[in-house]
mmCIF file of all heavy atoms in Angstrom:
data_model
loop_
_atom_site.group_PDB
_atom_site.id
_atom_site.type_symbol
_atom_site.label_atom_id
_atom_site.label_comp_id
_atom_site.label_asym_id
_atom_site.label_seq_id
_atom_site.Cartn_x
_atom_site.Cartn_y
_atom_site.Cartn_z
ATOM 1 N N VAL J 3 97.134 100.885 116.225
ATOM 2 C CA VAL J 3 97.991 99.991 117.006
ATOM 3 C C VAL J 3 98.427 98.781 116.188
ATOM 4 O O VAL J 3 97.721 98.332 115.279
ATOM 5 C CB VAL J 3 97.237 99.516 118.280
ATOM 6 C CG1 VAL J 3 96.077 98.600 117.924
ATOM 7 C CG2 VAL J 3 98.178 98.830 119.262
ATOM 8 N N TYR J 4 99.611 98.256 116.487
ATOM 9 C CA TYR J 4 100.017 96.910 116.042
ATOM 10 C C TYR J 4 100.438 96.117 117.275
ATOM 11 O O TYR J 4 99.747 95.221 117.689
ATOM 12 C CB TYR J 4 101.125 96.962 114.995
ATOM 13 C CG TYR J 4 101.440 95.563 114.473
ATOM 14 C CD1 TYR J 4 100.547 94.927 113.617
ATOM 15 C CD2 TYR J 4 102.575 94.874 114.882
ATOM 16 C CE1 TYR J 4 100.799 93.637 113.173
ATOM 17 C CE2 TYR J 4 102.825 93.588 114.437
ATOM 18 C CZ TYR J 4 101.937 92.973 113.583
ATOM 19 O OH TYR J 4 102.168 91.692 113.146
ATOM 20 N N GLY J 5 101.578 96.435 117.851
ATOM 21 C CA GLY J 5 101.934 95.859 119.147
ATOM 22 C C GLY J 5 102.622 94.523 119.119
ATOM 23 O O GLY J 5 103.092 94.045 120.160
ATOM 24 N N GLY J 6 102.680 93.854 117.935
ATOM 25 C CA GLY J 6 103.304 92.541 117.853
ATOM 26 C C GLY J 6 104.819 92.618 117.777
ATOM 27 O O GLY J 6 105.384 93.654 117.415
ATOM 28 N N PRO J 7 105.507 91.524 118.097
ATOM 29 C CA PRO J 7 106.969 91.543 118.225
ATOM 30 C C PRO J 7 107.736 91.882 116.953
ATOM 31 O O PRO J 7 108.884 92.312 117.031
ATOM 32 C CB PRO J 7 107.289 90.115 118.687
ATOM 33 C CG PRO J 7 106.032 89.608 119.298
ATOM 34 C CD PRO J 7 104.921 90.236 118.521
ATOM 35 N N THR J 8 107.137 91.687 115.783
ATOM 36 C CA THR J 8 107.916 91.760 114.546
ATOM 37 C C THR J 8 107.812 93.082 113.800
ATOM 38 O O THR J 8 108.382 93.211 112.711
ATOM 39 C CB THR J 8 107.486 90.629 113.588
ATOM 40 O OG1 THR J 8 106.083 90.772 113.290
ATOM 41 C CG2 THR J 8 107.727 89.269 114.209
ATOM 42 N N HIS J 9 107.122 94.064 114.356
ATOM 43 C CA HIS J 9 106.896 95.275 113.569
ATOM 44 C C HIS J 9 106.683 96.481 114.471
ATOM 45 O O HIS J 9 105.894 96.429 115.414
ATOM 46 C CB HIS J 9 105.666 95.091 112.670
ATOM 47 C CG HIS J 9 105.348 96.274 111.815
ATOM 48 N ND1 HIS J 9 106.133 96.670 110.760
ATOM 49 C CD2 HIS J 9 104.329 97.172 111.878
ATOM 50 C CE1 HIS J 9 105.605 97.747 110.193
ATOM 51 N NE2 HIS J 9 104.515 98.076 110.856
ATOM 52 N N ARG J 10 107.405 97.575 114.160
ATOM 53 C CA ARG J 10 107.233 98.827 114.894
ATOM 54 C C ARG J 10 106.277 99.747 114.137
ATOM 55 O O ARG J 10 106.319 99.835 112.910
ATOM 56 C CB ARG J 10 108.574 99.551 115.072
ATOM 57 C CG ARG J 10 109.545 98.836 115.978
ATOM 58 C CD ARG J 10 110.744 99.716 116.280
ATOM 59 N NE ARG J 10 110.413 100.789 117.213
ATOM 60 C CZ ARG J 10 110.449 100.681 118.537
ATOM 61 N NH1 ARG J 10 110.802 99.537 119.088
ATOM 62 N NH2 ARG J 10 110.142 101.708 119.304
ATOM 63 N N MET J 11 105.456 100.458 114.870
ATOM 64 C CA MET J 11 104.581 101.467 114.285
ATOM 65 C C MET J 11 105.234 102.842 114.299
ATOM 66 O O MET J 11 105.000 103.669 113.426
ATOM 67 C CB MET J 11 103.265 101.543 115.061
ATOM 68 C CG MET J 11 102.338 100.364 114.861
ATOM 69 S SD MET J 11 101.550 100.375 113.240
ATOM 70 C CE MET J 11 100.355 101.695 113.434
ATOM 71 N N VAL J 12 106.053 103.089 115.310
ATOM 72 C CA VAL J 12 106.610 104.428 115.519
ATOM 73 C C VAL J 12 107.945 104.541 114.789
ATOM 74 O O VAL J 12 109.019 104.379 115.382
ATOM 75 C CB VAL J 12 106.758 104.736 117.016
ATOM 76 C CG1 VAL J 12 107.208 106.176 117.222
ATOM 77 C CG2 VAL J 12 105.439 104.493 117.742
ATOM 78 N N THR J 13 107.873 104.792 113.495
ATOM 79 C CA THR J 13 109.063 104.985 112.676
ATOM 80 C C THR J 13 108.885 106.234 111.817
ATOM 81 O O THR J 13 107.764 106.562 111.419
ATOM 82 C CB THR J 13 109.331 103.779 111.759
ATOM 83 O OG1 THR J 13 108.214 103.598 110.869
ATOM 84 C CG2 THR J 13 109.545 102.510 112.572
ATOM 85 N N ASP J 14 109.991 106.900 111.546
ATOM 86 C CA ASP J 14 109.958 108.089 110.700
ATOM 87 C C ASP J 14 110.080 107.646 109.248
ATOM 88 O O ASP J 14 111.138 107.761 108.624
ATOM 89 C CB ASP J 14 111.092 109.047 111.076
ATOM 90 C CG ASP J 14 110.919 110.425 110.440
ATOM 91 O OD1 ASP J 14 109.870 110.658 109.809
ATOM 92 O OD2 ASP J 14 111.837 111.253 110.579
ATOM 93 N N SER J 15 108.977 107.128 108.728
ATOM 94 C CA SER J 15 108.959 106.582 107.368
ATOM 95 C C SER J 15 107.580 106.823 106.763
ATOM 96 O O SER J 15 106.631 107.171 107.456
ATOM 97 C CB SER J 15 109.282 105.086 107.377
ATOM 98 O OG SER J 15 108.340 104.368 108.160
ATOM 99 N N TRP J 16 107.501 106.597 105.456
ATOM 100 C CA TRP J 16 106.266 106.818 104.710
ATOM 101 C C TRP J 16 105.609 105.478 104.422
ATOM 102 O O TRP J 16 106.282 104.492 104.112
ATOM 103 C CB TRP J 16 106.566 107.532 103.402
ATOM 104 C CG TRP J 16 105.362 107.924 102.600
ATOM 105 C CD1 TRP J 16 104.618 107.109 101.803
ATOM 106 C CD2 TRP J 16 104.769 109.227 102.498
ATOM 107 N NE1 TRP J 16 103.585 107.813 101.216
ATOM 108 C CE2 TRP J 16 103.665 109.120 101.627
ATOM 109 C CE3 TRP J 16 105.080 110.469 103.049
ATOM 110 C CZ2 TRP J 16 102.863 110.218 101.303
ATOM 111 C CZ3 TRP J 16 104.283 111.553 102.735
ATOM 112 C CH2 TRP J 16 103.180 111.418 101.860
ATOM 113 N N SER J 17 104.274 105.448 104.494
ATOM 114 C CA SER J 17 103.537 104.244 104.121
ATOM 115 C C SER J 17 102.101 104.634 103.813
ATOM 116 O O SER J 17 101.643 105.724 104.183
ATOM 117 C CB SER J 17 103.560 103.206 105.255
ATOM 118 O OG SER J 17 102.823 103.674 106.365
ATOM 119 N N ARG J 18 101.396 103.735 103.148
ATOM 120 C CA ARG J 18 99.979 103.997 102.899
ATOM 121 C C ARG J 18 99.202 104.052 104.206
ATOM 122 O O ARG J 18 98.223 104.782 104.329
ATOM 123 C CB ARG J 18 99.389 102.938 101.969
ATOM 124 C CG ARG J 18 98.011 103.309 101.442
ATOM 125 C CD ARG J 18 97.451 102.254 100.518
ATOM 126 N NE ARG J 18 98.256 102.101 99.330
ATOM 127 C CZ ARG J 18 98.008 101.184 98.391
ATOM 128 N NH1 ARG J 18 96.970 100.377 98.519
ATOM 129 N NH2 ARG J 18 98.777 101.087 97.339
ATOM 130 N N ARG J 19 99.664 103.288 105.184
ATOM 131 C CA ARG J 19 99.050 103.352 106.517
ATOM 132 C C ARG J 19 99.084 104.783 107.044
ATOM 133 O O ARG J 19 98.153 105.269 107.681
ATOM 134 C CB ARG J 19 99.835 102.429 107.450
ATOM 135 C CG ARG J 19 99.450 102.493 108.919
ATOM 136 C CD ARG J 19 100.523 101.851 109.788
ATOM 137 N NE ARG J 19 101.702 102.689 109.849
ATOM 138 C CZ ARG J 19 102.938 102.238 109.944
ATOM 139 N NH1 ARG J 19 103.184 100.960 109.944
ATOM 140 N NH2 ARG J 19 103.952 103.081 110.031
ATOM 141 N N MET J 20 100.195 105.475 106.745
ATOM 142 C CA MET J 20 100.340 106.847 107.200
ATOM 143 C C MET J 20 99.335 107.775 106.522
ATOM 144 O O MET J 20 98.843 108.734 107.122
ATOM 145 C CB MET J 20 101.765 107.319 106.912
ATOM 146 C CG MET J 20 102.103 108.667 107.485
ATOM 147 S SD MET J 20 103.409 109.421 106.537
ATOM 148 C CE MET J 20 102.574 109.693 104.990
ATOM 149 N N LEU J 21 99.008 107.474 105.256
ATOM 150 C CA LEU J 21 98.019 108.290 104.557
ATOM 151 C C LEU J 21 96.637 108.124 105.182
ATOM 152 O O LEU J 21 95.858 109.079 105.243
ATOM 153 C CB LEU J 21 97.987 107.924 103.072
ATOM 154 C CG LEU J 21 99.177 108.415 102.253
ATOM 155 C CD1 LEU J 21 99.123 107.846 100.847
ATOM 156 C CD2 LEU J 21 99.215 109.942 102.202
ATOM 157 N N VAL J 22 96.323 106.918 105.633
ATOM 158 C CA VAL J 22 95.063 106.721 106.354
ATOM 159 C C VAL J 22 95.062 107.549 107.634
ATOM 160 O O VAL J 22 94.052 108.176 107.999
ATOM 161 C CB VAL J 22 94.845 105.228 106.664
ATOM 162 C CG1 VAL J 22 93.654 105.035 107.599
ATOM 163 C CG2 VAL J 22 94.642 104.441 105.374
ATOM 164 N N ASP J 23 96.202 107.601 108.315
ATOM 165 C CA ASP J 23 96.304 108.430 109.516
ATOM 166 C C ASP J 23 96.120 109.912 109.172
ATOM 167 O O ASP J 23 95.501 110.665 109.933
ATOM 168 C CB ASP J 23 97.656 108.209 110.191
ATOM 169 C CG ASP J 23 97.783 106.815 110.779
ATOM 170 O OD1 ASP J 23 96.754 106.131 110.924
ATOM 171 O OD2 ASP J 23 98.916 106.406 111.091
ATOM 172 N N GLN J 24 96.679 110.338 108.034
ATOM 173 C CA GLN J 24 96.486 111.716 107.596
ATOM 174 C C GLN J 24 94.997 112.003 107.372
ATOM 175 O O GLN J 24 94.478 113.062 107.746
ATOM 176 C CB GLN J 24 97.268 111.970 106.306
ATOM 177 C CG GLN J 24 98.768 112.084 106.480
ATOM 178 C CD GLN J 24 99.182 113.398 107.105
ATOM 179 O OE1 GLN J 24 98.560 114.437 106.896
ATOM 180 N NE2 GLN J 24 100.251 113.362 107.892
ATOM 181 N N TYR J 25 94.325 111.048 106.757
ATOM 182 C CA TYR J 25 92.888 111.201 106.502
ATOM 183 C C TYR J 25 92.124 111.377 107.813
ATOM 184 O O TYR J 25 91.268 112.266 107.937
ATOM 185 C CB TYR J 25 92.381 109.976 105.740
ATOM 186 C CG TYR J 25 90.882 109.880 105.629
ATOM 187 C CD1 TYR J 25 90.180 110.625 104.681
ATOM 188 C CD2 TYR J 25 90.156 109.031 106.472
ATOM 189 C CE1 TYR J 25 88.798 110.537 104.587
ATOM 190 C CE2 TYR J 25 88.782 108.936 106.377
ATOM 191 C CZ TYR J 25 88.104 109.689 105.432
ATOM 192 O OH TYR J 25 86.740 109.601 105.338
ATOM 193 N N MET J 26 92.471 110.545 108.791
ATOM 194 C CA MET J 26 91.757 110.631 110.069
ATOM 195 C C MET J 26 92.059 111.947 110.789
ATOM 196 O O MET J 26 91.169 112.549 111.404
ATOM 197 C CB MET J 26 92.124 109.433 110.951
ATOM 198 C CG MET J 26 91.717 108.083 110.364
ATOM 199 S SD MET J 26 89.922 107.908 110.091
ATOM 200 C CE MET J 26 89.353 107.636 111.772
ATOM 201 N N ALA J 27 93.294 112.417 110.706
ATOM 202 C CA ALA J 27 93.648 113.688 111.346
ATOM 203 C C ALA J 27 92.876 114.838 110.712
ATOM 204 O O ALA J 27 92.424 115.757 111.405
ATOM 205 C CB ALA J 27 95.154 113.921 111.239
ATOM 206 N N ARG J 28 92.717 114.770 109.394
ATOM 207 C CA ARG J 28 91.992 115.845 108.718
ATOM 208 C C ARG J 28 90.497 115.810 109.037
ATOM 209 O O ARG J 28 89.796 116.806 108.847
ATOM 210 C CB ARG J 28 92.214 115.747 107.207
ATOM 211 C CG ARG J 28 93.658 116.041 106.812
ATOM 212 C CD ARG J 28 93.877 115.823 105.341
ATOM 213 N NE ARG J 28 95.295 115.850 105.012
ATOM 214 C CZ ARG J 28 95.804 116.493 103.968
ATOM 215 N NH1 ARG J 28 95.019 117.170 103.163
ATOM 216 N NH2 ARG J 28 97.093 116.443 103.725
ATOM 217 N N ARG J 29 90.015 114.674 109.510
ATOM 218 C CA ARG J 29 88.602 114.582 109.890
ATOM 219 C C ARG J 29 88.363 115.074 111.316
ATOM 220 O O ARG J 29 87.226 115.108 111.767
ATOM 221 C CB ARG J 29 88.101 113.135 109.754
ATOM 222 C CG ARG J 29 87.993 112.687 108.315
ATOM 223 C CD ARG J 29 87.298 111.344 108.198
ATOM 224 N NE ARG J 29 85.916 111.378 108.650
ATOM 225 C CZ ARG J 29 84.909 111.934 107.973
ATOM 226 N NH1 ARG J 29 85.138 112.528 106.822
ATOM 227 N NH2 ARG J 29 83.685 111.908 108.450
ATOM 228 N N GLY J 30 89.442 115.400 112.011
ATOM 229 C CA GLY J 30 89.269 115.957 113.349
ATOM 230 C C GLY J 30 89.772 115.074 114.472
ATOM 231 O O GLY J 30 89.510 115.362 115.651
ATOM 232 N N TYR J 31 90.509 114.011 114.145
ATOM 233 C CA TYR J 31 91.043 113.110 115.166
ATOM 234 C C TYR J 31 92.488 113.461 115.514
ATOM 235 O O TYR J 31 93.271 113.866 114.645
ATOM 236 C CB TYR J 31 91.042 111.664 114.669
ATOM 237 C CG TYR J 31 89.695 111.027 114.497
ATOM 238 C CD1 TYR J 31 89.030 111.079 113.278
ATOM 239 C CD2 TYR J 31 89.094 110.337 115.549
ATOM 240 C CE1 TYR J 31 87.799 110.473 113.100
ATOM 241 C CE2 TYR J 31 87.857 109.721 115.385
ATOM 242 C CZ TYR J 31 87.214 109.784 114.157
ATOM 243 O OH TYR J 31 86.001 109.182 113.986
ATOM 244 N N LEU J 32 92.848 113.260 116.758
ATOM 245 C CA LEU J 32 94.247 113.087 117.124
ATOM 246 C C LEU J 32 94.598 111.648 116.767
ATOM 247 O O LEU J 32 93.843 110.716 117.089
ATOM 248 C CB LEU J 32 94.454 113.304 118.622
ATOM 249 C CG LEU J 32 94.370 114.730 119.148
ATOM 250 C CD1 LEU J 32 94.036 114.715 120.632
ATOM 251 C CD2 LEU J 32 95.686 115.452 118.895
ATOM 252 N N VAL J 33 95.726 111.439 116.094
ATOM 253 C CA VAL J 33 96.148 110.092 115.712
ATOM 254 C C VAL J 33 97.368 109.736 116.551
ATOM 255 O O VAL J 33 98.356 110.489 116.586
ATOM 256 C CB VAL J 33 96.479 110.010 114.214
ATOM 257 C CG1 VAL J 33 96.946 108.609 113.848
ATOM 258 C CG2 VAL J 33 95.258 110.401 113.379
ATOM 259 N N PHE J 34 97.319 108.578 117.200
ATOM 260 C CA PHE J 34 98.349 108.212 118.174
ATOM 261 C C PHE J 34 98.748 106.754 117.979
ATOM 262 O O PHE J 34 97.888 105.889 117.772
ATOM 263 C CB PHE J 34 97.800 108.416 119.592
ATOM 264 C CG PHE J 34 98.763 108.127 120.705
ATOM 265 C CD1 PHE J 34 99.720 109.056 121.078
ATOM 266 C CD2 PHE J 34 98.698 106.921 121.388
ATOM 267 C CE1 PHE J 34 100.595 108.784 122.129
ATOM 268 C CE2 PHE J 34 99.564 106.636 122.438
ATOM 269 C CZ PHE J 34 100.520 107.581 122.807
ATOM 270 N N SER J 35 100.044 106.485 118.029
ATOM 271 C CA SER J 35 100.558 105.110 118.025
ATOM 272 C C SER J 35 101.667 105.004 119.056
ATOM 273 O O SER J 35 102.441 105.959 119.247
ATOM 274 C CB SER J 35 101.111 104.720 116.648
ATOM 275 O OG SER J 35 100.096 104.652 115.683
#
């Protein structure tokens, strides 16, 4: 989550944050924002 006025999480873009999400998904989590 972020949720603050100045930044969207739900974008079709690449970031290191996304790689952390990939890591969590591979560990068995559903990842949701």
Side-chain angles (χ1 to χ4, degrees):
V3 68
Y4 185 73
T8 60
H9 180 69
R10 293 189 74 87
M11 288 287 286
V12 186
T13 61
D14 193 6
S15 59
W16 185 281
S17 67
R18 192 180 297 177
R19 173 196 72 213
M20 187 205 67
L21 286 173
V22 171
D23 292 345
Q24 286 286 327
Y25 169 80
M26 297 299 284
R28 293 175 191 224
R29 290 189 64 74
Y31 291 92
L32 287 157
V33 179
F34 182 80
S35 293

